C-alpha cells in the first residue's frame, strides 16, 4: 500500500507541477537528499524516480518558467569547468568501470548545482529551497536523534531510516551535515515566512537542533565532534552576549558529559593519539599514499582511483577498545583499496592538482562572497532586507563547518553541499539584481518620503 500511495502522489504532483514548475525543483532536492525510493519495498525501487523528476524540473523550467531575469554567476562557470574536467578524467580513469559508477551520479549533482540558481528569482523561492533542504535532512536527523536518546547507536551501528551507508545515511556524513545545518535552522526560526515564526516553529527548530547535536553521539563520529566545536567558535561572531554564551556552553557541556555513553567518550579520546586507533592510522597512511600517487599522476587517476592503493600501517600499542587485547609492542599490518576518508585527498587522488584547485576555488569564492554580503547588509534598517545578512552568515558558517568535516570524510561530490552552493549563488544573484533594479546601494540613506518596499520593481511572483 505504501508503494501504491507513493506512485499516486507522484502522478498527482506531476499534474500540479506543470502549473508551478518550481515544485519539480523542490521535489528533486528532496529526492536527492532523502532518496525515498530506498524506503520502498519493491515498486518505487524499479522506477528511476530521481531521473524522471530531474528531467521534469529542467524541462518545466525551460518550457513554463519565466527566464527574463535569470543571471549567471562566476561560480556556475567554475562548476561547469569542474564538470568538464571530471568527465575527461573519467574517460581516462585507471578503473573505467568503477569510475563510471561514480560518474553516473556526480554529473547530476554538478549539473543540478549549475541549473538550480537560475530558478531562484525571488525571496520566496530562496526560502522554499532552504526549507526543503532542512526538512529533508531533518527526516534523517530526527530518526537518528530519537534512536540515540532511546539508548541506541554505536560506531557503525546506528541505522538512519535505511540499513545501508548511502548518501546522508552514513554516520560521519550525516553528523557533518547535521551540524552544518544548525545555523540555517536558527535563521529560519527568526526569518522564515512560509511557516511564520511562533512558539511552534521555535519549538520544532530547537528540537531539530538538539537532534542534530545528538547525531555525533549516536554515530560516535569523531568528525561530528570536531564540527560541533568549530560551529561553537564561529557562533561567537553572531551572538550578542558572548560571555553568557560561553558560560552557557560550558555549563551545557559539563551537564552533558555524565550522560554520554562510555564507548563514545573512549572513542573521542582517540582524537589526541591517532596512532593507537586502527581507523585513524589507516587514514593517515592512505593520505600519504595519495600524496605520493599525485606526484606521479598530477592529473589524477579518475574516480575510485583509491582501489589500487596498498598501505603499510604502523599503529602504536594500545587501543581505545577496552575489550581488545592489549599489547606493549607496536602493531604493523597491511591494507589495500581503502577509501580516502578526506574530500581534499579524494580530489587530489581522483582529479589531480587541477581538480583540487578548481574545487578549492569554488568553495573559497563562495565563503568570501557570503562574507561580503554579511558585511554589506548587517546594519541595514530596511525591514525587507534584514534577512539577507543573517542568511549569508548562516550559510557561511554551515559551509565552513562542512569544509572542516570534509577533512575527515570523502564528501567532495556529496549533492547536499552543491545544493547549499546553489542556494548561496541564488542569494548573491538575487541581491545583485535587486540592487540594480531598485537603484539602491547598501549603507546609503534613502529619502524619508520613499516607503520601504517588500520586493523590487519587476519582481515576478513565486
Amino acid at each position: 500500500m505504501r508503494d501504491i500511495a507513493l506512485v499516486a502522489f507522484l502522478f498527482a504532483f506531476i499534474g500540479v507541477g506543470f502549473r508551478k514548475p518550481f515544485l519539480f525543483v523542490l521535489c528533486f532536492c528532496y529526492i536527492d537528499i532523502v532518496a525515498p525510493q530506498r524506503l520502498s519495498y519493491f515498486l518505487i525501487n524499479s522506477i528511476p524516480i530521481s531521473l524522471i523528476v530531474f528531467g521534469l524540473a529542467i524541462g518545466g523550467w525551460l518550457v513554463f518558467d519565466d527566464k527574463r531575469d535569470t543571471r549567471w554567476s562566476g561560480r556556475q562557470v567554475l562548476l561547469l569547468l569542474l564538470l568538464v574536467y571530471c568527465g575527461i578524467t573519467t574517460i581516462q580513469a585507471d578503473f573505467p568501470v568503477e569510475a563510471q559508477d561514480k560518474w553516473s551520479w556526480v554529473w547530476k549533482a554538478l549539473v543540478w548545482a549549475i541549473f538550480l540558481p537560475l530558478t531562484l528569482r525571488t525571496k520566496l523561492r530562496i526560502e522554499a529551497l532552504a526549507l526543503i533542504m532542512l526538512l529533508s535532512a531533518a527526516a534523517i536527523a530526527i530518526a537518528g536523534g530519537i534512536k540515540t536518546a532511546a539508548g541506541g547507536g554505536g560506531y557503525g551501528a546506528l541505522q538512519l531510516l535505511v540499513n545501508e551507508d548511502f548518501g546522508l545515511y552514513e554516520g560521519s556524513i550525516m553528523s557533518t551535515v547535521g551540524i552544518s545545518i544548525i545555523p540555517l535552522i536558527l535563521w529560519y526560526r527568526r526569518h522564515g515566512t512560509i511557516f511564520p515564526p511562533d512558539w511552534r516553529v521555535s519549538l520544532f527548530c530547537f528540537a531539530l537542533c538538539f537532534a542534530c547535536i545528538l547525531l555525533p553521539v549516536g554515530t560516535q563520529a569523531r568528525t561530528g565532534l570536531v564540527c560541533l566545536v568549530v560551529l561553537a567558535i564561529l557562533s561567537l561572531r553572531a551572538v550578542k552576549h558572548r560571555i553568557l554564551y560561553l558560560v552557557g556552553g560550558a555549563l551545557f557541556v559539563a551537564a552533558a558529559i555524565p550522560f554520554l555513553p562510555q564507548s563514545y567518550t573512549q572513542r573521542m579520546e582517540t582524537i589526541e593519539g591517532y596512532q593507537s586507533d586502527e581507523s585513524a592510522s589507516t587514514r593517515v597512511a592512505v593520505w600519504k599514499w595519495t600524496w605520493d600517487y599525485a606526484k606521479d599522476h598530477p592529473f589524477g587517476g579518475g574516480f575510485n582511483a583509491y582501489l589500487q592503493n596498498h598501505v603499510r600501517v604502523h599503529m602504536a600499542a594500545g587501543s581505545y577498545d577496552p575489550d581488545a587485547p592489549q599489547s606493549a609492542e607496536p602493531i604493523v599490518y597491511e591494507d589495500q583499496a581503502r577509501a580516502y576518508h578526506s574530500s581534499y585527498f579524494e580530489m587530489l587522488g581522483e582529479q589531480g592538482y587541477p581538480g583540487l584547485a578548481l574545487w578549492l576555488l569554488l568553495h573559497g569564492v563562495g565563503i568570501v562572497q557570503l562574507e561580503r554580503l554579511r558585511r554589506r547588509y548587517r546594519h541595514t534598517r530596511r525591514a525587507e532586507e534584514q534577512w539577507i545578512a543573517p542568511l549569508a552568515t548562516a550559510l557561511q558558517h554551515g559551509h565552513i563547518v562542512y569544509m572542516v568535516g570534509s577533512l575527515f570524510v570523502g564528501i567532495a561530490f556529496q549533492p547536499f553541499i552543491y545544493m547549499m552552493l546553489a542556494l548561496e549563488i541564488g542569494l548573491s544573484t538575487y541581491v545583485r539584481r535587486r540592487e540594480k533594479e531598485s537603484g539602491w546601494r547598501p549603507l546609503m540613506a534613502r529619502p524619508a518620503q520613499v516607503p520601504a518596499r517588500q520586493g523590487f520593481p519587476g519582481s515576478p511572483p513565486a
Side-chain angles (χ1 to χ4, degrees):
M1 291 298 295
R2 181 170 63 178
D3 296 273
I4 296 175
L6 286 173
V7 172
F9 172 78
L10 177 62
F11 280 103
F13 188 82
I14 289 174
V16 176
F18 281 119
R19 298 180 58 188
K20 297 288 185 179
F22 188 67
L23 291 178
F24 288 139
V25 175
L26 298 179
C27 184
F28 180 78
C29 291
Y30 164 75
I31 291 173
D32 211 27
I33 295 173
V34 181
Q37 64 271 24
R38 293 181 177 268
L39 303 176
S40 172
Y41 293 119
F42 62 96
L43 187 57
I44 295 296
N45 274 326
S46 61
I47 301 175
I49 183 173
S50 178
L51 186 60
I52 291 173
V53 180
F54 180 84
L56 289 173
I58 296 181
W61 177 79
L62 289 173
V63 177
F64 298 104
D65 208 13
D66 186 0
K67 296 173 283 294
R68 288 176 299 177
D69 53 357
T70 54
R71 282 173 172 261
W72 274 79
S73 167
R75 279 172 284 173
Q76 287 169 286
V77 176
L78 289 176
L79 283 166
L80 182 60
L81 291 175
L82 183 60
L83 174 67
V84 173
Y85 184 79
C86 289
I88 295 174
T89 59
T90 301
I91 296 174
Q92 303 173 349
D94 294 344
F95 298 90
V97 176
E98 291 79 1
Q100 284 292 337
D101 289 339
K102 186 172 180 178
W103 170 253
S104 65
W105 59 266
V106 166
W107 74 265
K108 285 191 293 185
L110 294 175
V111 169
W112 188 251
I114 296 170
F115 161 75
L116 189 53
L118 302 178
T119 68
L120 302 178
R121 299 181 290 107
T122 65
K123 176 183 181 295
L124 178 59
R125 291 192 173 191
I126 292 173
E127 181 185 336
L129 175 60
L131 179 61
I132 287 295
M133 292 175 60
L134 290 179
L135 293 180
S136 299
I140 306 173
I142 292 173
I146 292 175
K147 292 179 180 179
T148 301
Y155 183 63
L158 184 66
Q159 296 182 9
L160 303 171
L161 289 184
V162 297
N163 187 22
E164 59 179 309
D165 289 342
F166 169 81
L168 295 187
Y169 294 107
E170 197 278 329
S172 297
I173 297 177
M174 188 58 214
S175 296
T176 301
V177 171
I179 301 302
S180 68
I181 64 174
I182 289 178
L184 197 57
I185 297 170
L186 297 177
W187 171 85
Y188 192 87
R189 171 186 165 267
R190 295 190 60 187
H191 300 279
T193 57
I194 297 177
F195 295 101
D198 60 14
W199 67 270
R200 293 166 297 183
V201 172
S202 295
L203 180 62
F204 177 81
C205 289
F206 287 136
L208 181 55
C209 288
F210 185 65
C212 292
I213 293 174
L214 286 179
L215 283 174
V217 179
T219 60
Q220 295 189 5
R222 292 167 292 195
T223 304
L225 177 61
V226 174
C227 291
L228 192 58
V229 172
V230 172
L231 177 60
I233 296 173
L234 289 174
S235 298
L236 285 171
R237 297 199 316 162
V239 297
K240 295 181 179 179
H241 307 287
R242 296 182 178 178
I243 300 299
L244 184 62
Y245 171 81
L246 291 172
V247 173
L251 292 176
F252 176 80
V253 172
I257 289 177
F259 296 95
L260 295 175
Q262 184 180 4
S263 58
Y264 173 79
T265 56
Q266 289 174 340
R267 181 166 174 79
M268 295 307 108
E269 290 173 357
T270 62
I271 295 178
E272 298 181 2
Y274 73 90
Q275 291 182 335
S276 62
D277 178 67
E278 178 180 349
S279 176
S281 299
T282 305
R283 291 186 186 191
V284 173
V286 172
W287 296 346
K288 293 179 180 178
W289 175 90
T290 306
W291 182 260
D292 294 334
Y293 175 82
K295 293 178 181 178
D296 298 326
H297 304 79
F299 297 101
F303 292 127
N304 293 325
Y306 71 88
L307 293 173
Q308 59 192 301
N309 66 38
H310 187 280
V311 296
R312 185 177 179 88
V313 182
H314 297 263
M315 192 172 71
S319 171
Y320 77 90
D321 185 358
D323 298 326
Q326 301 296 310
S327 173
E329 298 295 331
I331 302 173
V332 180
Y333 66 94
E334 296 184 358
D335 205 345
Q336 60 184 3
R338 289 296 296 264
Y340 299 103
H341 288 290
S342 171
S343 298
Y344 299 84
F345 286 97
E346 176 187 1
M347 290 300 301
L348 180 61
E350 294 183 347
Q351 311 303 325
Y353 294 106
L356 177 61
L358 275 175
W359 187 76
L360 290 174
L361 181 62
L362 175 66
H363 292 287
V365 170
I367 293 174
V368 171
Q369 181 63 30
L370 289 172
E371 179 64 18
R372 293 178 59 189
L373 284 178
R374 188 187 75 87
R375 294 189 178 187
R376 289 165 63 186
Y377 284 89
R378 62 181 173 178
H379 297 305
T380 182
R381 291 173 295 195
R382 296 166 61 90
E384 71 273 17
E385 292 153 357
Q386 291 180 357
W387 61 276
I388 296 176
L391 179 57
T393 303
L395 290 173
Q396 184 191 53
H397 288 182
H399 200 148
I400 293 174
V401 169
Y402 195 96
M403 295 304 292
V404 172
S406 298
L407 286 167
F408 313 103
V409 189
I411 47 178
F413 294 101
Q414 168 58 235
F416 189 90
I417 187 58
Y418 288 96
M419 291 184 197
M420 186 178 289
L421 273 170
L423 184 60
E424 296 170 7
I425 296 171
L427 174 63
S428 298
T429 54
Y430 168 81
V431 170
R432 289 203 308 268
R433 184 174 66 248
R434 186 182 189 283
E435 293 174 359
K436 180 179 179 180
E437 296 189 11
S438 66
W440 181 81
R441 294 294 180 269
L443 304 183
M444 293 179 62
R446 298 284 293 178
Q449 68 271 19
V450 178
R453 291 171 291 179
Q454 295 301 317
F456 58 90
S459 176

